[in-house]
Amino acid sequence: MFSNAATNKYLIKDLFDVRQGKLALLQDKVVPNDTNDALDNEKVQETKTIDVLTLNSINWELATIRKELLFKITEPKTIPQPLTANDFIINRVGQTKGCSLLESNFDFENHKVIPSHHFLVLTPRTIIQPNQLPFFHAVVDVFLTDLVKAQKNDQDKSESNIEKKQKSIYVTVKEIENIEIELPSENFDLLISQYNQYYTMYAASYKNFMASKNNLENHKLELSKFFKKEFDWNK
């Protein structure tokens, strides 16, 4: 379908299933992972729980999930569709940001995470082949950059500073899924191949970076234990 079609024009919804997170009704049962309350921790452990992705759980600059800032909720009878590494997520409120979960270095296969209602989730349709996925995630990111510029221009046209402050940016499923993309009619496979070369180099470097970062953080923890043993900070 991507080979020299008549127009090569597609909507995002032709390429991705676009859905909104469905966790607004369970907020009263949310318990932070890092709670210091021992009793709350016991209650969470007694109950089967599931992790929830919130806006604070994402490091948007590094495209990583901050596992310690995921939230746990009592597992509902019907679990919303969990995230996978193939998904692309977009925040719905505030300045529009996108994050390719391909780059998150998170083990989705062994760790169920469901998105809160603050996210739109783009899941690739079968029209996109696995080797094309990094490229199409990048394409979505490019179009989001244009969308952010349009949002900023719209805000700048507001009549007053008060109106600018009161007007919140709100992205909908319809707005995202109807973005039109015109794919190049020539050298499309070559374009994907070139991007994948750069992406493979990046992914390998990023994996090494994260491994080094984890080693450094673990060493800091060991240092912390040493200093706590050597010094009595309460004196």
Side-chain angles (χ1 to χ4, degrees):
M1 189 171 178
F2 290 135
S3 61
N4 293 339
T7 62
N8 273 352
K9 291 182 179 179
Y10 303 92
L11 299 178
I12 289 288
K13 64 183 176 183
D14 297 327
L15 307 172
F16 294 88
D17 170 57
V18 184
R19 71 182 192 278
Q20 179 184 330
K22 298 180 178 180
L23 209 64
L25 300 178
L26 301 173
Q27 283 185 330
D28 59 323
K29 297 182 180 179
V30 169
V31 178
N33 276 2
D34 58 352
T35 177
N36 292 321
D37 191 323
L39 293 177
D40 281 348
N41 277 330
E42 287 182 11
K43 291 177 183 177
V44 171
Q45 290 171 3
E46 289 173 2
T47 310
K48 196 170 183 182
T49 60
I50 193 166
D51 283 328
V52 181
L53 187 73
T54 67
L55 294 178
N56 289 333
S57 308
I58 301 288
N59 183 323
W60 296 94
E61 291 184 359
L62 295 178
T64 56
I65 292 177
R66 303 169 68 184
K67 190 174 180 180
E68 73 279 6
L69 293 183
L70 292 172
F71 276 71
K72 286 191 178 294
I73 62 162
T74 303
E75 187 172 312
K77 292 182 180 178
T78 303
I79 300 177
Q81 185 176 341
L83 293 167
T84 74
N86 293 333
D87 293 331
F88 189 100
I89 58 175
I90 302 170
N91 64 315
R92 293 181 57 233
V93 180
Q95 182 179 351
T96 303
K97 298 176 183 177
C99 179
S100 169
L101 297 186
L102 280 172
E103 301 175 16
S104 66
N105 199 36
F106 191 86
D107 184 8
F108 289 102
E109 291 187 6
N110 298 310
H111 200 101
K112 280 187 181 178
V113 178
I114 54 178
S116 73
H117 62 296
H118 292 110
F119 292 101
L120 298 182
V121 182
L122 281 64
T123 300
R125 298 190 185 279
T126 54
I127 186 176
I128 297 178
Q129 301 301 312
N131 71 308
Q132 299 171 333
L133 192 54
F135 172 84
F136 278 101
H137 275 203
V139 169
V140 172
D141 206 28
V142 168
F143 276 79
L144 283 183
T145 301
D146 291 339
L147 180 60
V148 170
K149 290 179 181 177
Q151 290 170 341
K152 187 176 185 304
N153 290 336
D154 188 43
Q155 280 189 316
D156 290 342
K157 292 177 183 178
S158 299
E159 294 180 358
S160 67
N161 290 331
I162 295 177
E163 186 179 347
K164 286 181 182 180
K165 291 179 181 179
Q166 290 177 342
K167 188 175 183 180
S168 65
I169 298 173
Y170 184 84
V171 182
T172 65
V173 169
K174 187 175 181 180
E175 183 176 10
I176 295 298
E177 69 180 8
N178 286 316
I179 292 175
E180 186 178 73
I181 296 175
E182 183 174 1
L183 300 178
S185 57
E186 297 181 1
N187 299 322
F188 181 57
D189 289 338
L190 177 61
L191 193 64
I192 290 178
S193 177
Q194 289 175 337
Y195 182 82
N196 283 345
Q197 288 180 15
Y198 286 112
Y199 180 80
T200 300
M201 292 171 60
Y202 163 80
S205 300
Y206 183 77
K207 187 174 182 179
N208 290 334
F209 165 75
M210 290 304 296
S212 298
K213 185 175 184 296
N214 289 336
N215 289 337
L216 185 63
E217 292 300 321
N218 289 335
H219 190 62
K220 284 182 180 178
L221 288 176
E222 292 301 317
L223 287 176
S224 175
K225 294 175 184 177
F226 169 79
F227 284 116
K228 286 179 181 178
K229 184 185 296 184
E230 291 295 316
F231 300 102
D232 184 356
W233 299 105
N234 294 320
K235 287 183 179 180

